[in-house]
């Protein structure tokens, strides 16, 4: 619905709010409102007290989210959806400096069409985007911040929620910890969850820990990740001494790279039953000259990227887990030359299998199958994300 059409409808509704209330039941009004976009709904709040009461009700917010999810899944299943690139960028020639969150459509001719642009609140200046899910974004302060402040932000309705994770009190751990944060959606009970993982690099008896936040209960719970408690974990690999970002949400679980004194693996956290498990990496993913590795979602499957650079040339090895959770199903599907120039930063993958990287020339889209490379018109992207839908939601509208 266009903005002008929405404005006209609001004016008409204001004049006939009493009549509409008499003619239509709340259930019918709720059903009509449930199919409207977020921008229209935020404007409809001023039509009447009854409309505002419906739109801000937690039950309606959940219903609206489910309808959008079902519509998005339908578009994906019929392959009629667009692919979207999200990125943050600094606004030039502006004082004080500010950042914007941009969403663009990735067109078939590799051009980009901007569909939304939101100013990031200055309150988040010292925070980084660490995850997004169903219209909700998660921002966390720097990893070694003892009082770890996390924000949930819904740019569509310009609302946020401040969360304070448990501060570290052990003086010996202050300089030797590393934390990773991930955001996920629990489809079984319609709840958003944040997983915060802490690995202590030094110290006797050091053990990785986890905190789990639930938006529905607005509370944190602390969990110790003992190696014996991991499903599928091979014994005698020692304690987790390092956890590396990012935290990828895939197949109802968050995934991050964990390292023990003698072992690398993917640590997964199922957001529905809140269980941890180990996912083994490919048996030989590393070349002798591997510079860095990255796990990601590739065409809807868990993938592992290994970038190697030597006198023989630079290559990217791409492994895909063809059957989720089965280590034997890891398959190297590509070994492609890195024909781009300069230091690179891996940014993610699209549903159609394009790899997104960033180097000194800007943002690049690379097709590992055809080896086609496209330099996109985004030169100053700070953070980059990808989503198969640009779904907006009313989450946080009721202040919970």
């Amino acid at each position: 619905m266009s903005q002008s059409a929405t404005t006209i409808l609001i004016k008409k509704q204001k004049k006939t709010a009493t009549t509409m209330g008499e003619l239509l039941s709340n259930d019918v009004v709720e059903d009509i409102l449930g199919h409207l976009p977020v921008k229209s709904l935020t404007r409809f709040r001023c039509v009447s007290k009854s409309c505002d009461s419906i739109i801000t009700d937690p039950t309606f917010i959940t219903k609206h989210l489910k309808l959008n999810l079902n519509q998005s899944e339908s578009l994906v299943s019929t392959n009629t959806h667009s692919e979207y690139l999200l990125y943050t960028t600094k606004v030039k020639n502006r004082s004080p400096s500010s950042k914007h969150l941009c969403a663009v459509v990735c067109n078939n001719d590799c051009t980009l069409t901007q569909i939304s642009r939101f100013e990031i609140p200055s309150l988040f200046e010292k925070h980084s985007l660490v995850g997004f899910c169903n219209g909700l974004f998660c921002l966390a302060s720097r990893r070694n911040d003892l009082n770890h402040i996390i924000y949930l932000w819904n740019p569509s309705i310009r609302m946020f929620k401040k969360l304070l994770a448990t501060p570290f009190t052990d003086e010996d751990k202050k300089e030797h910890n590393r934390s990773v944060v991930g955001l996920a959606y629990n489809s079984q009970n319609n709840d958003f969850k944040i997983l915060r993982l802490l690995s202590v690099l030094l110290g006797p008896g050091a053990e990785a820990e986890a905190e789990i936040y639930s938006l529905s209960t607005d509370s944190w719970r602390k969990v110790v990740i003992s190696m014996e408690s991991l499903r599928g974990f091979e014994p005698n690999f020692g304690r987790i001494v390092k956890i590396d970002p990012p935290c990828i949400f895939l197949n109802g679980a968050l995934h991050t790279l964990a390292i023990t004194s003698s072992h690398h693996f993917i640590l997964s956290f199922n957001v529905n039953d809140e269980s941890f498990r180990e996912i083994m990496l490919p048996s030989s993913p590393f070349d002798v000259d591997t510079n860095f590795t990255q796990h990601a979602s590739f065409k809807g499957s868990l993938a592992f990227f290994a970038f190697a650079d030597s006198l023989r040339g630079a290559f990217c090895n791409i492994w895909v887990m063809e059957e989720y959770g089965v280590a034997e199903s890891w398959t190297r599907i590509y070994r492609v030359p890195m024909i781009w120039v300069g230091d690179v930063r891996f940014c993610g993958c699209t549903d159609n299998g394009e790899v997104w990287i960033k180097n000194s020339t800007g943002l690049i889209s690379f097709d590992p199958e055809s080896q086609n490379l496209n330099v996109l018109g985004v030169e100053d992207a700070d953070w980059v994300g990808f989503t198969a839908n640009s779904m907006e939601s009313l989450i946080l509208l009721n202040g919970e």
Side-chain angles (χ1 to χ4, degrees), residues 248-260:
I248 303 296
F249 184 48
L250 176 69
N251 289 336
L254 288 164
H255 305 79
T256 190
L257 185 65
I259 302 172
T260 71

Side-chain angles (χ1 to χ4, degrees), residues 164-180:
L164 183 60
T166 305
F168 306 137
T169 56
D170 191 334
E171 295 294 325
D172 295 332
K173 294 183 180 181
K174 285 186 176 181
E175 301 300 327
H176 308 296
N177 65 73
R178 185 183 185 94
S179 61
V180 175

Side-chain angles (χ1 to χ4, degrees), residues 188-218:
Q188 289 187 357
N189 60 5
N190 303 302
D191 189 14
F192 287 85
K193 293 184 179 181
I194 295 175
L195 173 67
R196 182 188 180 221
L197 296 165
L198 169 68
S199 59
V200 181
L201 304 184
L202 301 175
E207 195 80 68
E209 298 177 352
E211 279 189 308
I212 303 166
Y213 172 83
S214 166
L215 181 60
S216 64
T217 62
D218 190 23

Side-chain angles (χ1 to χ4, degrees), residues 233-251:
F233 186 74
E234 296 289 338
N236 304 319
F237 280 141
R239 297 186 301 268
I240 296 176
V241 296
K242 187 179 180 182
I243 299 174
D244 280 339
C247 219
I248 303 296
F249 184 48
L250 176 69
N251 289 336

Side-chain angles (χ1 to χ4, degrees), residues 146-180:
L146 300 182
N147 295 306
H148 204 93
I149 297 173
I150 296 174
Y151 287 98
L152 286 175
W153 177 44
N154 186 337
S156 300
I157 58 174
R158 292 173 171 80
M159 296 192 73
F160 64 85
K161 185 179 182 68
K162 181 180 179 180
L163 312 172
L164 183 60
T166 305
F168 306 137
T169 56
D170 191 334
E171 295 294 325
D172 295 332
K173 294 183 180 181
K174 285 186 176 181
E175 301 300 327
H176 308 296
N177 65 73
R178 185 183 185 94
S179 61
V180 175

Side-chain angles (χ1 to χ4, degrees), residues 93-350:
N93 302 322
R94 183 170 176 178
S95 183
S97 61
S98 63
K99 278 187 176 183
H100 282 186
L101 170 66
C102 303
V104 297
V105 176
C106 307
N107 302 313
N108 293 331
D109 59 357
C110 297
T111 60
L112 304 175
T113 301
Q114 183 171 292
I115 59 171
S116 65
R117 188 181 185 98
F118 300 98
E119 184 170 0
I120 300 175
S122 58
L123 187 67
F124 304 157
E125 182 180 1
K126 296 183 179 180
H127 293 70
S128 301
L129 276 167
V130 294
F132 61 95
C133 184
N134 297 341
L136 200 62
F137 290 77
C138 182
L139 301 97
S141 53
R142 60 185 182 274
R143 286 176 297 191
N144 287 336
D145 190 346
L146 300 182
N147 295 306
H148 204 93
I149 297 173
I150 296 174
Y151 287 98
L152 286 175
W153 177 44
N154 186 337
S156 300
I157 58 174
R158 292 173 171 80
M159 296 192 73
F160 64 85
K161 185 179 182 68
K162 181 180 179 180
L163 312 172
L164 183 60
T166 305
F168 306 137
T169 56
D170 191 334
E171 295 294 325
D172 295 332
K173 294 183 180 181
K174 285 186 176 181
E175 301 300 327
H176 308 296
N177 65 73
R178 185 183 185 94
S179 61
V180 175
V181 177
L183 173 67
Y185 175 69
N186 183 346
S187 59
Q188 289 187 357
N189 60 5
N190 303 302
D191 189 14
F192 287 85
K193 293 184 179 181
I194 295 175
L195 173 67
R196 182 188 180 221
L197 296 165
L198 169 68
S199 59
V200 181
L201 304 184
L202 301 175
E207 195 80 68
E209 298 177 352
E211 279 189 308
I212 303 166
Y213 172 83
S214 166
L215 181 60
S216 64
T217 62
D218 190 23
S219 61
W220 290 92
R221 290 187 297 103
K222 198 169 185 178
V223 180
V224 175
I225 311 172
S226 64
M227 306 310 293
E228 294 78 10
S229 68
L230 291 179
R231 292 188 300 173
F233 186 74
E234 296 289 338
N236 304 319
F237 280 141
R239 297 186 301 268
I240 296 176
V241 296
K242 187 179 180 182
I243 299 174
D244 280 339
C247 219
I248 303 296
F249 184 48
L250 176 69
N251 289 336
L254 288 164
H255 305 79
T256 190
L257 185 65
I259 302 172
T260 71
S261 57
S262 60
H263 181 51
H264 292 63
F265 65 96
I266 292 176
L267 177 67
S268 76
F269 171 73
N270 186 302
V271 298
N272 290 326
D273 62 15
E274 297 191 350
S275 63
F276 289 92
R277 68 172 296 180
E278 177 212 30
I279 296 180
M280 298 285 288
L281 290 175
S283 57
S284 56
F286 305 104
D287 286 343
V288 175
D289 301 306
T290 296
N291 293 82
F292 69 95
T293 60
Q294 183 80 62
H295 61 289
S297 172
F298 184 84
K299 293 185 177 181
S301 298
L302 186 62
F304 189 75
F305 292 73
F307 297 85
D309 190 4
S310 68
L311 295 176
R312 296 173 294 172
F315 292 89
C316 173
N317 295 304
I318 304 177
W319 298 75
V320 169
M321 179 171 268
E322 296 183 338
E323 184 178 352
Y324 180 74
V326 179
E328 292 76 17
S329 70
W330 280 113
T331 304
R332 189 173 74 176
I333 57 174
Y334 298 113
R335 177 178 171 84
V336 294
M338 293 169 56
I339 57 179
W340 44 85
V341 180
D343 294 334
V344 300
R345 178 164 67 90
F346 179 86
C347 296
C349 308
T350 66

